[in-house]
Amino acid sequence: RKLQSKWQCFDAYARVSMSLGVYQIVQAINLFVLGLTLVETHCPSVAFAVTLTLQAVALALNFLDLAGMQLWQWAFMLIISSGCSVTTAFSLTYAKLTDERLPDPTKPFPGAPIAFFFQALHFHVMLILASPSDSTTSLPRRFRSVLFLDVFGDASYDPTDAEHSLPRSVEEGSMSGAADRVEKATALADCWDKGKMAQMALRRWEAIPEFHMTNEDAETLWQYRKQFTVWRKALMVSWNENERIPIPSEVRDSLELKGWSELSAIEKSEDVFTGTLIGPLYGNGQQGGSRGYYYDLEKGESIFGTQGAQSLSLK
């Protein structure tokens, strides 16, 4: 997902380009038919019938591609989009003809500048519509194909809302969704850090020789490991859902659930409980003995008293 997000913005503008390209093909076909019917075959009725049909198709394409436009905006789009073809049709219909019944290029065509004006105005309007409609993601959200693309995983945004709202509300919804995702990611990261500390603590207790622990301590340690495994699996599901490129659980387990003997010297030094004594211990089945001792995992020896060092107990 992280790699996809690098190029999906180009996909969004490619969709806009395809939408505009289909529209321009319809307009080009309309102008070609005008030249064929008015210049070569001299059939004005066919020319106007085809123009009416193709302009209806062009308007339908705009209606399918664009969202969030009001009725007066659609009327304005119809005028400027069909203005070039309609003006050209009238200009060729009433043009001065030569003896071969072709438009005389030496005579003036007063409607020609108007056709070019409509075409330039239409290009300018489409440029405005294709420009980024918000400052958060810089995407042309007036195009439906971009709305349903969900480029950056903005699942909190409902694309159908764009038909009845302005880009400002879209921006607010996007920012709200982004804030929720950041809050969730922060909470997951905090839980994951605490889970790592729990794994380090359990790992140290599991590394001491068994004869140092009473039966009660061994049972408590086993229960802690069981609870940790259950909660870690649940946390991993939420973590993978939030990550754009989830890491397989087997890979995480092989890296994060190493035993003490499997750690390198550098990894042991990075343990947050380095130098912490394990205890109190009673060992030899003497549950509830009066005098406990502690185990120094780094040195591999038992000592009486903490001697000023911190201790890690099962309580």
Side-chain angles (χ1 to χ4, degrees), residues 11 16 20 26 30 44 53 78 119 128 164 172 238 306 313:
D11 186 15
V16 173
L20 298 179
V26 173
N30 195 168
T53 303
L78 176 61
Q119 188 70 5
I128 294 176
H164 311 289
E172 292 174 355
S238 299
T306 59
S313 68

Side-chain angles (χ1 to χ4, degrees), residues 68 72 151 155:
W72 70 269
V151 180

Side-chain angles (χ1 to χ4, degrees), residues 248-268:
S249 57
E250 297 81 4
V251 177
R252 283 193 178 276
D253 291 345
S254 63
L255 296 175
E256 300 174 0
L257 298 183
K258 292 181 179 179
W260 182 259
S261 59
E262 299 174 336
L263 299 179
S264 63
I266 296 178
E267 290 175 326
K268 290 181 179 179

Side-chain angles (χ1 to χ4, degrees), residues 147-163:
L147 295 179
F148 287 95
L149 179 63
D150 192 21
V151 180
F152 299 106
D154 190 8
S156 63
Y157 169 63
D158 184 2
T160 58
D161 290 342
E163 300 181 15

Side-chain angles (χ1 to χ4, degrees), residues 205 208-218 278-295 302-304 313-315:
W205 267 92
I208 66 175
E210 294 183 2
F211 61 84
H212 285 293
M213 287 191 291
T214 64
N215 295 334
E216 181 182 358
D217 288 342
I278 303 173
L281 302 170
Y282 299 96
N284 297 325
Q286 301 176 8
Q287 299 185 24
S290 59
R291 187 181 183 189
Y293 60 93
Y294 297 85
Y295 189 80
S302 303
I303 59 175
F304 288 96
S313 68
L314 286 176
K315 303 299 182 180

